[in-house]
Structure formats: C-alpha cells, structure tokens
Amino acid sequence: MYSKKLKAPEHQVAGHSAKEGKLGPLVDGEGRFFKPFQRDFRGKNEAKFYEFFSSNKNAPNHIHGYFPAYHGTQVVEASNGSGKLPHIVLEDVVTGYVKPSIMDIKIGSRTWYPDISEEYFNKCLGKDRGTTSVSLGFRISGFKIFDHQESSYWMPDKNVVHGYNVDEARLALRKFVSSNSLSHSIPDCAFASKIYGGSNGILAQLLELKAWFETQTLYHLYSSSVLMFYENESVLKKGGHDARAQVKLIDFAHFLDGNGVIDHNFLGGLCSFIKLIQDILESSDNSDETNTFRFKNGH
Ligand SMILES: Nc1ncnc2c1ncn2[C@@H]1O[C@H](COP(=O)(O)OP(=O)(O)OP(=O)(O)O)[C@@H](O)[C@H]1O
Ligand SMILES: O=P(O)(O)O[C@@H]1[C@@H](O)[C@H](OP(=O)(O)O)[C@@H](OP(=O)(O)O)[C@@H](O)[C@H]1OP(=O)(O)O
C-alpha cells in the first residue's frame, strides 16, 4: 500500500485534472505518476496495454523509451476524496524539468473505433469534426509554453485550445519554439533548430516512432497522445543542447489489438504532425540563412 503524500502534477497540460478536486492523476514528487483507473473499461484497458507492452520483446529498446516506464498498479487515495482507488503507476516523464514547455497532441484523424456505443461514437465524431483531428490528423489537447519575455507561462484554457483551427494549431507549434513574447503575432521560432531539429531533437524522435508505426501491427492506439517537452532553464544557454527535448507517447485507455494490420489512423496523424514540424524547421532555417545573408551583406 502506498502511503507517501501524493499531489496534483505541477506540469499537467491536458486530460482530467486533480487540481479541480476531480478525479485526476497524482505524483509523488520522486518520479512516479499515479493515473486513476478511469470509468468503465478504460482503466483496466490502459493497465492491460502497459502490462502487454512493457514485457513486449518484439518492440525495439529505443521504442520502449518513448513510453513511460510501467510500475504496475496500486490502490491509493483518489484525488476527489472518493476513497481508495486502483491507479496505474508510471514514470513521471517530466521529473527533473524545472521550467518545461509541454504540449499534448492527440494523434489520429478519428478517436472513434469499431464496436463502440452509438453515444460514444457520436461524442468522438463531434469532437473530431469540431477540432483539427479530421482536417489535420491530430489535435492539440493542451499545452504550457514558457514566455521568456514575460518570465511566465502561457497556458490557454482547454476549450480555447480545442477550438483551434489549422492556422491556430500551426501558430501554437511555432510559438512552442519561440523566444519572443507569445503575445507577439509573429513568433520568431528562435529555438526551432535546437528543439525540433538536431540528431536528438523532436523531429528525429518522431521519425523513429514513424518507422516503427510503419511496421508494427500489435496495437491500434485511439485517443493516444504525443507529449513533447523541453527545459527552458537551459535553452538560452550556448548551444541549448541540454534543453532535453523529449517525445513520449501516453494515454492508452482506448487501445485495441492490431490484428496484424498497421495502425493507419495513428500513423497518418503522426505523418501529418511530422510534416508541420518539418515545415517550421525549413522556414526557420531559411530565415536564419536570410538573416545571415543580410548580416554579411550589410542589409
Ligand atoms: N507518465 C506521465 N508523466 C508525466 N505527465 C504525464 C504522464 N502521463 C500523462 N501526463 C500528463 O497528464 C496529462 C493527461 O494525461 P492522460 O491523457 O493520460 O490523461 P487522461 O485523463 O486520460 O486524458 P484524456 O482526457 O485526454 O483521455 C498529459 O497531458 C500530461 O500533461
Ligand atoms: O469523462 P469521460 O466520459 O471519461 O470522457 C472524457 C471527457 O469527455 C473529456 O472531456 P472533458 O470532460 O475533460 O472536457 C475528454 O477529454 P478531451 O476532450 O480533452 O479529449 C476525454 O477524452 C474523455 O475521455 P474518453 O475519451 O475516454 O471518453
């Protein structure tokens, strides 16, 4: 039985939040993340995914690194005062990040899947159509971006983020790697090459995941998210190499057995997300070249 005092995660950006006195995840402050079993089949299903995947020898080691480490399940006091509940115990993937910028991106043009209730189908279809899921193949579920000019966080309400259109989603991805004030209409993408680019950057990690999703037929991940984050404390330092930009996959309450077929819904959404990141990198590389050219030629 776990007795350490648990608290609401400081850096949670989407999903059910314990901060509002509701049922939500908790952390122990020492690297463990406690996700309460969600209602119906969801909690058991997510625990089953972690049980299967954590012992799956077919997935390469570097792919295992993109998933939070799984530490089993434990019964602990729920955040909403309803008593003790089973929780999935995971690695708290943002442990050690002091001032992270974090974004949760729900991957897939659709979150509904075969054999669900009419009610849940309509709920998912409504959200998919009402957000960028259908048009972009993914939707931003939530984020917090550190504003270096204001020395504060920009964390819009989830309903505002859910209302983003394609252009607003693109703008948020550009602001995620910008150093100028987030209220500025033209983000400078000054950190794009450090965070999105480079051999260990976000894009390189997404491409590794893409290569695996092009062949893996074990799981179909519905409503799962890419969680990307980096450390602002060090991003301004020369090189910014210890910004520790990371990609993790989370939220497997709605996973299905792959039945020998690739997960084309997730793969398609992931490819679309990758394309937007590549576009930002290319445009920021071009502007870097332009600025260098102007500097060298006294423009
Ligand atoms: N292992 C983890 N370590 C640190 N933070 C995490 C971890 N898993 C999730 N989070 C944080 O919690 C948020 C919600 O996670 P998750 O999507 O699993 O919860 P949820 O309530 O099922 O969400 P949804 O309502 O979208 O299904 C994420 O956006 C992220 O900020
Ligand atoms: O509360 P439920 O029934 O588990 O469904 C949640 C819920 O719809 C939640 O929306 P909100 O109540 O936090 O506004 C959804 O979050 P997003 O809209 O950010 O995706 C969850 O995805 C729902 O969970 P599920 O998809 O498992 O039904």
Side-chain angles (χ1 to χ4, degrees), residues 106 108-112 121-141 158-169:
K106 200 178 282 279
S109 57
R110 58 186 179 87
T111 52
W112 55 268
F121 170 79
N122 289 323
K123 173 178 157 185
C124 290
L125 188 62
K127 283 189 175 175
D128 297 348
R129 282 174 164 164
T131 62
T132 58
S133 291
V134 169
S135 50
L136 268 183
F138 64 86
R139 64 175 179 252
I140 299 175
S141 284
K158 74 178 289 183
N159 294 318
V160 169
V161 178
H162 280 190
Y164 279 1
N165 62 27
V166 171
D167 289 339
E168 286 161 322

Coordinates of all heavy atoms in Angstrom, one line a residue, residues 106 108-112 121-141 158-169:
K106 N -3.1 15.0 -29.4 CA -3.9 13.7 -29.6 C -3.8 13.3 -31.1 O -4.3 14.1 -31.9 CB -5.3 13.9 -29.1 CG -6.1 12.7 -28.8 CD -7.5 12.9 -28.3 CE -7.5 13.4 -26.9 NZ -7.4 12.3 -25.9
G108 N -4.3 11.2 -34.6 CA -5.4 10.4 -35.3 C -6.5 11.3 -35.8 O -6.9 12.2 -35.2
S109 N -6.9 11.0 -37.1 CA -8.0 11.8 -37.6 C -9.3 11.4 -37.0 O -10.3 12.1 -37.1 CB -8.0 11.6 -39.2 OG -8.2 10.2 -39.4
R110 N -9.3 10.2 -36.4 CA -10.6 9.9 -35.7 C -10.2 9.2 -34.3 O -9.2 8.5 -34.2 CB -11.4 8.9 -36.5 CG -10.7 7.6 -36.9 CD -11.6 6.9 -37.9 NE -11.0 5.7 -38.4 CZ -11.1 4.5 -37.7 NH1 -11.7 4.5 -36.6 NH2 -10.5 3.4 -38.2
T111 N -11.1 9.5 -33.3 CA -10.9 8.9 -32.0 C -11.9 7.8 -31.8 O -11.8 7.1 -30.8 CB -11.0 10.0 -30.9 OG1 -12.2 10.7 -31.1 CG2 -9.8 11.0 -30.9
W112 N -12.9 7.7 -32.7 CA -13.9 6.6 -32.5 C -13.3 5.3 -33.2 O -12.3 5.4 -34.0 CB -15.2 6.9 -33.2 CG -15.1 7.3 -34.7 CD1 -15.0 8.6 -35.1 CD2 -15.2 6.4 -35.8 NE1 -15.0 8.6 -36.5 CE2 -15.1 7.3 -36.9 CE3 -15.3 5.0 -36.0 CZ2 -15.1 6.7 -38.2 CZ3 -15.3 4.5 -37.3 CH2 -15.2 5.4 -38.4
F121 N -19.7 7.0 -30.1 CA -19.3 7.2 -31.5 C -19.7 8.7 -31.8 O -18.8 9.5 -32.3 CB -20.1 6.3 -32.4 CG -20.0 6.7 -33.9 CD1 -18.8 6.4 -34.6 CD2 -21.0 7.4 -34.5 CE1 -18.7 6.7 -35.9 CE2 -20.9 7.8 -35.8 CZ -19.7 7.4 -36.5
N122 N -20.9 9.1 -31.4 CA -21.3 10.5 -31.8 C -20.5 11.5 -31.0 O -20.1 12.6 -31.6 CB -22.8 10.7 -31.4 CG -23.7 9.9 -32.4 OD1 -23.3 9.8 -33.6 ND2 -24.7 9.2 -31.9
K123 N -20.1 11.2 -29.8 CA -19.3 12.1 -29.0 C -17.9 12.3 -29.6 O -17.4 13.4 -29.8 CB -19.1 11.6 -27.5 CG -18.2 12.3 -26.7 CD -18.2 11.7 -25.3 CE -16.9 12.0 -24.6 NZ -16.7 11.3 -23.3
C124 N -17.3 11.2 -30.0 CA -16.0 11.3 -30.6 C -16.1 12.0 -32.0 O -15.2 12.9 -32.3 CB -15.4 9.9 -30.8 SG -14.9 9.1 -29.3
L125 N -17.1 11.6 -32.8 CA -17.2 12.2 -34.1 C -17.4 13.7 -34.0 O -16.7 14.5 -34.7 CB -18.4 11.6 -34.9 CG -18.5 12.0 -36.3 CD1 -17.3 11.5 -37.2 CD2 -19.8 11.3 -36.9
G126 N -18.2 14.1 -33.0 CA -18.4 15.6 -32.8 C -17.1 16.3 -32.5 O -16.8 17.3 -33.1
K127 N -16.3 15.7 -31.6 CA -15.0 16.3 -31.2 C -14.0 16.3 -32.4 O -13.3 17.3 -32.6 CB -14.4 15.6 -30.0 CG -15.1 16.0 -28.7 CD -14.4 15.4 -27.5 CE -15.0 15.9 -26.2 NZ -14.4 15.3 -25.1
D128 N -14.0 15.2 -33.1 CA -13.1 15.1 -34.2 C -13.4 16.1 -35.3 O -12.5 16.8 -35.8 CB -13.1 13.7 -34.8 CG -12.6 12.6 -33.8 OD1 -12.1 13.0 -32.8 OD2 -12.9 11.4 -34.1
R129 N -14.7 16.3 -35.6 CA -15.1 17.3 -36.6 C -14.9 18.7 -36.1 O -14.5 19.6 -36.8 CB -16.5 17.1 -37.0 CG -16.8 15.9 -37.9 CD -18.3 15.8 -38.1 NE -18.6 14.9 -39.2 CZ -19.8 14.4 -39.4 NH1 -20.8 14.6 -38.5 NH2 -20.1 13.6 -40.4
G130 N -15.1 18.9 -34.8 CA -15.1 20.3 -34.2 C -13.7 20.7 -33.9 O -13.5 21.9 -33.4
T131 N -12.7 19.9 -34.1 CA -11.3 20.3 -33.9 C -10.5 20.0 -35.1 O -11.1 19.8 -36.2 CB -10.7 19.4 -32.7 OG1 -10.7 18.0 -33.2 CG2 -11.5 19.5 -31.4
T132 N -9.2 20.0 -35.0 CA -8.4 19.8 -36.3 C -8.1 18.3 -36.5 O -7.4 18.0 -37.4 CB -7.0 20.5 -36.1 OG1 -6.3 20.0 -34.9 CG2 -7.2 22.0 -36.0
S133 N -8.7 17.4 -35.7 CA -8.4 16.0 -35.9 C -8.8 15.6 -37.3 O -7.9 15.0 -38.0 CB -9.3 15.2 -34.9 OG -8.8 15.4 -33.6
V134 N -10.0 15.9 -37.8 CA -10.4 15.5 -39.2 C -9.5 16.2 -40.2 O -9.0 15.6 -41.1 CB -11.9 15.8 -39.4 CG1 -12.2 15.6 -40.9 CG2 -12.7 14.9 -38.5
S135 N -9.3 17.5 -40.0 CA -8.6 18.3 -41.1 C -7.1 18.0 -41.1 O -6.4 18.0 -42.1 CB -8.9 19.8 -41.0 OG -8.6 20.1 -39.6
L136 N -6.5 17.9 -39.8 CA -5.0 17.8 -39.7 C -4.5 16.4 -39.4 O -3.4 16.0 -39.6 CB -4.5 18.7 -38.6 CG -4.1 20.1 -39.0 CD1 -3.5 20.8 -37.8 CD2 -3.1 20.1 -40.1
G137 N -5.4 15.5 -38.9 CA -5.0 14.2 -38.5 C -4.5 14.2 -37.0 O -4.1 13.1 -36.5
F138 N -4.6 15.3 -36.4 CA -4.3 15.4 -34.9 C -4.9 16.6 -34.4 O -5.3 17.5 -35.1 CB -2.8 15.4 -34.7 CG -2.1 16.6 -35.2 CD1 -2.0 17.8 -34.5 CD2 -1.5 16.6 -36.5 CE1 -1.3 18.9 -35.0 CE2 -0.9 17.7 -37.1 CZ -0.8 18.8 -36.3
R139 N -5.0 16.7 -33.0 CA -5.5 18.0 -32.4 C -4.6 18.2 -31.2 O -4.1 17.3 -30.5 CB -7.0 17.9 -32.0 CG -7.4 16.9 -31.0 CD -8.8 17.1 -30.6 NE -9.4 16.1 -29.7 CZ -10.2 15.1 -29.9 NH1 -10.5 14.9 -31.2 NH2 -10.7 14.4 -29.0
I140 N -4.4 19.5 -30.9 CA -3.7 19.9 -29.7 C -4.7 19.8 -28.5 O -5.7 20.4 -28.6 CB -3.1 21.3 -29.8 CG1 -2.1 21.3 -31.0 CG2 -2.4 21.7 -28.5 CD1 -1.5 22.7 -31.3
S141 N -4.3 19.0 -27.5 CA -5.2 18.8 -26.4 C -4.9 19.8 -25.3 O -5.8 20.1 -24.5 CB -5.1 17.4 -25.8 OG -5.7 16.5 -26.6
K158 N -8.4 24.8 -21.9 CA -8.5 23.6 -22.8 C -9.6 23.9 -23.9 O -9.5 23.4 -25.0 CB -8.8 22.3 -22.1 CG -10.2 22.1 -21.5 CD -10.4 20.8 -20.9 CE -10.4 19.7 -21.8 NZ -10.7 18.4 -21.2
N159 N -10.7 24.6 -23.5 CA -11.8 24.8 -24.5 C -11.3 25.8 -25.6 O -11.7 25.6 -26.8 CB -13.0 25.3 -23.8 CG -13.6 24.2 -22.9 OD1 -13.6 23.1 -23.2 ND2 -13.9 24.6 -21.7
V160 N -10.4 26.7 -25.3 CA -9.8 27.6 -26.3 C -9.0 26.8 -27.2 O -9.1 26.8 -28.5 CB -9.0 28.7 -25.6 CG1 -8.2 29.5 -26.7 CG2 -9.9 29.6 -24.8
V161 N -8.2 25.9 -26.7 CA -7.3 25.1 -27.5 C -8.1 24.1 -28.4 O -7.8 23.9 -29.5 CB -6.3 24.3 -26.6 CG1 -5.3 23.4 -27.4 CG2 -5.4 25.3 -25.7
H162 N -9.1 23.6 -27.8 CA -10.0 22.6 -28.6 C -10.6 23.4 -29.8 O -10.9 22.8 -30.8 CB -11.1 22.0 -27.7 CG -10.6 20.9 -26.9 ND1 -11.4 20.1 -26.2 CD2 -9.3 20.4 -26.7 CE1 -10.7 19.1 -25.6 NE2 -9.4 19.4 -25.8
G163 N -10.8 24.7 -29.6 CA -11.4 25.5 -30.7 C -10.4 25.9 -31.8 O -10.8 26.5 -32.8
Y164 N -9.1 25.5 -31.7 CA -8.1 26.0 -32.7 C -8.5 25.4 -34.0 O -8.9 24.3 -34.2 CB -6.8 25.5 -32.3 CG -6.0 26.3 -31.2 CD1 -6.6 27.4 -30.7 CD2 -4.7 25.9 -30.8 CE1 -5.9 28.2 -29.7 CE2 -4.0 26.7 -29.9 CZ -4.6 27.8 -29.3 OH -4.0 28.5 -28.4
N165 N -8.3 26.3 -35.1 CA -8.4 25.8 -36.5 C -7.0 25.4 -36.9 O -6.0 25.5 -36.1 CB -9.0 26.9 -37.3 CG -8.2 28.2 -37.4 OD1 -7.0 28.2 -37.2 ND2 -8.9 29.3 -37.6
V166 N -6.8 25.1 -38.1 CA -5.5 24.6 -38.6 C -4.4 25.7 -38.4 O -3.3 25.4 -37.9 CB -5.6 24.2 -40.1 CG1 -4.2 23.9 -40.7 CG2 -6.5 22.9 -40.2
D167 N -4.7 26.9 -38.8 CA -3.7 28.0 -38.7 C -3.3 28.3 -37.3 O -2.2 28.5 -36.9 CB -4.3 29.3 -39.3 CG -4.4 29.2 -40.8 OD1 -3.6 28.4 -41.4 OD2 -5.2 30.0 -41.5
E168 N -4.3 28.2 -36.3 CA -4.0 28.4 -34.9 C -3.2 27.3 -34.4 O -2.3 27.5 -33.5 CB -5.3 28.6 -34.1 CG -6.0 29.9 -34.4 CD -7.5 30.0 -34.0 OE1 -8.2 28.9 -34.2 OE2 -7.9 31.0 -33.5
A169 N -3.4 26.1 -34.9 CA -2.6 24.9 -34.4 C -1.2 25.1 -34.9 O -0.2 24.9 -34.1 CB -3.2 23.6 -34.9

